PDB file of all heavy atoms in Angstrom:
ATOM      1  N   PRO Q  82      -5.721  21.463 -21.906  1.00 85.00           N
ATOM      2  CA  PRO Q  82      -4.528  20.733 -22.356  1.00 85.00           C
ATOM      3  C   PRO Q  82      -4.767  19.885 -23.606  1.00 85.00           C
ATOM      4  O   PRO Q  82      -3.824  19.564 -24.317  1.00 85.00           O
ATOM      5  CB  PRO Q  82      -4.180  19.859 -21.152  1.00 85.00           C
ATOM      6  CG  PRO Q  82      -5.398  19.795 -20.333  1.00 85.00           C
ATOM      7  CD  PRO Q  82      -6.198  21.023 -20.602  1.00 85.00           C
ATOM      8  N   THR Q  83      -6.019  19.533 -23.878  1.00 88.00           N
ATOM      9  CA  THR Q  83      -6.269  18.694 -25.052  1.00 88.00           C
ATOM     10  C   THR Q  83      -6.339  19.507 -26.339  1.00 88.00           C
ATOM     11  O   THR Q  83      -5.782  19.120 -27.356  1.00 88.00           O
ATOM     12  CB  THR Q  83      -7.568  17.881 -24.881  1.00 88.00           C
ATOM     13  OG1 THR Q  83      -8.601  18.777 -24.479  1.00 88.00           O
ATOM     14  CG2 THR Q  83      -7.388  16.802 -23.842  1.00 88.00           C
ATOM     15  N   THR Q  84      -6.987  20.679 -26.261  1.00 89.00           N
ATOM     16  CA  THR Q  84      -7.130  21.464 -27.487  1.00 89.00           C
ATOM     17  C   THR Q  84      -6.125  22.607 -27.572  1.00 89.00           C
ATOM     18  O   THR Q  84      -5.921  23.180 -28.636  1.00 89.00           O
ATOM     19  CB  THR Q  84      -8.542  22.079 -27.570  1.00 89.00           C
ATOM     20  OG1 THR Q  84      -8.705  22.943 -26.439  1.00 89.00           O
ATOM     21  CG2 THR Q  84      -9.612  21.018 -27.558  1.00 89.00           C
ATOM     22  N   GLY Q  85      -5.494  22.948 -26.425  1.00 86.00           N
ATOM     23  CA  GLY Q  85      -4.558  24.067 -26.422  1.00 86.00           C
ATOM     24  C   GLY Q  85      -5.252  25.410 -26.438  1.00 86.00           C
ATOM     25  O   GLY Q  85      -4.613  26.445 -26.534  1.00 86.00           O
ATOM     26  N   LYS Q  86      -6.586  25.400 -26.344  1.00 89.00           N
ATOM     27  CA  LYS Q  86      -7.332  26.666 -26.367  1.00 89.00           C
ATOM     28  C   LYS Q  86      -7.451  27.254 -24.962  1.00 89.00           C
ATOM     29  O   LYS Q  86      -7.542  26.529 -23.986  1.00 89.00           O
ATOM     30  CB  LYS Q  86      -8.745  26.416 -26.914  1.00 89.00           C
ATOM     31  CG  LYS Q  86      -8.822  26.444 -28.424  1.00 89.00           C
ATOM     32  CD  LYS Q  86     -10.284  26.559 -28.829  1.00 89.00           C
ATOM     33  CE  LYS Q  86     -10.506  26.527 -30.328  1.00 89.00           C
ATOM     34  NZ  LYS Q  86      -9.756  27.492 -31.094  1.00 89.00           N
ATOM     35  N   PHE Q  87      -7.434  28.569 -24.881  1.00 90.00           N
ATOM     36  CA  PHE Q  87      -7.608  29.243 -23.598  1.00 90.00           C
ATOM     37  C   PHE Q  87      -9.078  29.565 -23.405  1.00 90.00           C
ATOM     38  O   PHE Q  87      -9.787  29.873 -24.359  1.00 90.00           O
ATOM     39  CB  PHE Q  87      -6.797  30.535 -23.570  1.00 90.00           C
ATOM     40  CG  PHE Q  87      -5.319  30.314 -23.451  1.00 90.00           C
ATOM     41  CD1 PHE Q  87      -4.552  30.069 -24.580  1.00 90.00           C
ATOM     42  CD2 PHE Q  87      -4.698  30.339 -22.211  1.00 90.00           C
ATOM     43  CE1 PHE Q  87      -3.188  29.881 -24.479  1.00 90.00           C
ATOM     44  CE2 PHE Q  87      -3.329  30.143 -22.098  1.00 90.00           C
ATOM     45  CZ  PHE Q  87      -2.575  29.910 -23.224  1.00 90.00           C
ATOM     46  N   GLN Q  88      -9.525  29.504 -22.138  1.00 88.00           N
ATOM     47  CA  GLN Q  88     -10.918  29.846 -21.864  1.00 88.00           C
ATOM     48  C   GLN Q  88     -11.052  30.446 -20.483  1.00 88.00           C
ATOM     49  O   GLN Q  88     -10.203  30.227 -19.617  1.00 88.00           O
ATOM     50  CB  GLN Q  88     -11.788  28.598 -21.994  1.00 88.00           C
ATOM     51  CG  GLN Q  88     -11.312  27.444 -21.121  1.00 88.00           C
ATOM     52  CD  GLN Q  88     -12.010  26.150 -21.475  1.00 88.00           C
ATOM     53  OE1 GLN Q  88     -12.529  25.990 -22.575  1.00 88.00           O
ATOM     54  NE2 GLN Q  88     -12.057  25.237 -20.518  1.00 88.00           N
ATOM     55  N   GLY Q  89     -12.131  31.213 -20.299  1.00 89.00           N
ATOM     56  CA  GLY Q  89     -12.372  31.825 -19.008  1.00 89.00           C
ATOM     57  C   GLY Q  89     -12.730  33.292 -19.140  1.00 89.00           C
ATOM     58  O   GLY Q  89     -12.733  33.852 -20.227  1.00 89.00           O
ATOM     59  N   PHE Q  90     -13.031  33.892 -17.977  1.00 90.00           N
ATOM     60  CA  PHE Q  90     -13.494  35.268 -17.943  1.00 90.00           C
ATOM     61  C   PHE Q  90     -12.446  36.232 -18.499  1.00 90.00           C
ATOM     62  O   PHE Q  90     -12.736  37.064 -19.362  1.00 90.00           O
ATOM     63  CB  PHE Q  90     -13.848  35.632 -16.497  1.00 90.00           C
ATOM     64  CG  PHE Q  90     -14.411  37.004 -16.331  1.00 90.00           C
ATOM     65  CD1 PHE Q  90     -15.729  37.272 -16.668  1.00 90.00           C
ATOM     66  CD2 PHE Q  90     -13.629  38.037 -15.836  1.00 90.00           C
ATOM     67  CE1 PHE Q  90     -16.251  38.537 -16.522  1.00 90.00           C
ATOM     68  CE2 PHE Q  90     -14.139  39.312 -15.690  1.00 90.00           C
ATOM     69  CZ  PHE Q  90     -15.453  39.565 -16.035  1.00 90.00           C
ATOM     70  N   ASP Q  91     -11.202  36.097 -17.995  1.00 92.00           N
ATOM     71  CA  ASP Q  91     -10.131  36.992 -18.454  1.00 92.00           C
ATOM     72  C   ASP Q  91      -9.902  36.866 -19.960  1.00 92.00           C
ATOM     73  O   ASP Q  91      -9.671  37.857 -20.654  1.00 92.00           O
ATOM     74  CB  ASP Q  91      -8.825  36.660 -17.726  1.00 92.00           C
ATOM     75  CG  ASP Q  91      -8.840  37.146 -16.286  1.00 92.00           C
ATOM     76  OD1 ASP Q  91      -9.762  37.909 -15.938  1.00 92.00           O
ATOM     77  OD2 ASP Q  91      -7.944  36.751 -15.522  1.00 92.00           O
ATOM     78  N   ILE Q  92      -9.977  35.627 -20.442  1.00 93.00           N
ATOM     79  CA  ILE Q  92      -9.740  35.381 -21.868  1.00 93.00           C
ATOM     80  C   ILE Q  92     -10.801  36.077 -22.708  1.00 93.00           C
ATOM     81  O   ILE Q  92     -10.504  36.690 -23.747  1.00 93.00           O
ATOM     82  CB  ILE Q  92      -9.767  33.861 -22.155  1.00 93.00           C
ATOM     83  CG1 ILE Q  92      -8.800  33.117 -21.249  1.00 93.00           C
ATOM     84  CG2 ILE Q  92      -9.480  33.578 -23.627  1.00 93.00           C
ATOM     85  CD1 ILE Q  92      -7.352  33.445 -21.444  1.00 93.00           C
ATOM     86  N   GLU Q  93     -12.077  36.002 -22.226  1.00 92.00           N
ATOM     87  CA  GLU Q  93     -13.169  36.626 -22.984  1.00 92.00           C
ATOM     88  C   GLU Q  93     -13.021  38.145 -22.999  1.00 92.00           C
ATOM     89  O   GLU Q  93     -13.267  38.787 -24.019  1.00 92.00           O
ATOM     90  CB  GLU Q  93     -14.523  36.227 -22.385  1.00 92.00           C
ATOM     91  CG  GLU Q  93     -14.859  34.749 -22.556  1.00 92.00           C
ATOM     92  CD  GLU Q  93     -14.784  34.294 -24.011  1.00 92.00           C
ATOM     93  OE1 GLU Q  93     -15.268  35.026 -24.897  1.00 92.00           O
ATOM     94  OE2 GLU Q  93     -14.225  33.204 -24.258  1.00 92.00           O
ATOM     95  N   ILE Q  94     -12.618  38.704 -21.843  1.00 93.00           N
ATOM     96  CA  ILE Q  94     -12.388  40.156 -21.798  1.00 93.00           C
ATOM     97  C   ILE Q  94     -11.293  40.524 -22.804  1.00 93.00           C
ATOM     98  O   ILE Q  94     -11.408  41.498 -23.551  1.00 93.00           O
ATOM     99  CB  ILE Q  94     -11.979  40.585 -20.362  1.00 93.00           C
ATOM    100  CG1 ILE Q  94     -13.149  40.410 -19.389  1.00 93.00           C
ATOM    101  CG2 ILE Q  94     -11.464  42.026 -20.350  1.00 93.00           C
ATOM    102  CD1 ILE Q  94     -14.252  41.438 -19.516  1.00 93.00           C
TER     103      ILE Q  94
END
Side-chain angles (χ1 to χ4, degrees):
Chain Q
T83 50
T84 61
K86 275 195 183 306
F87 287 85
Q88 55 192 22
F90 183 77
D91 286 349
I92 306 295
E93 292 306 317
I94 292 286

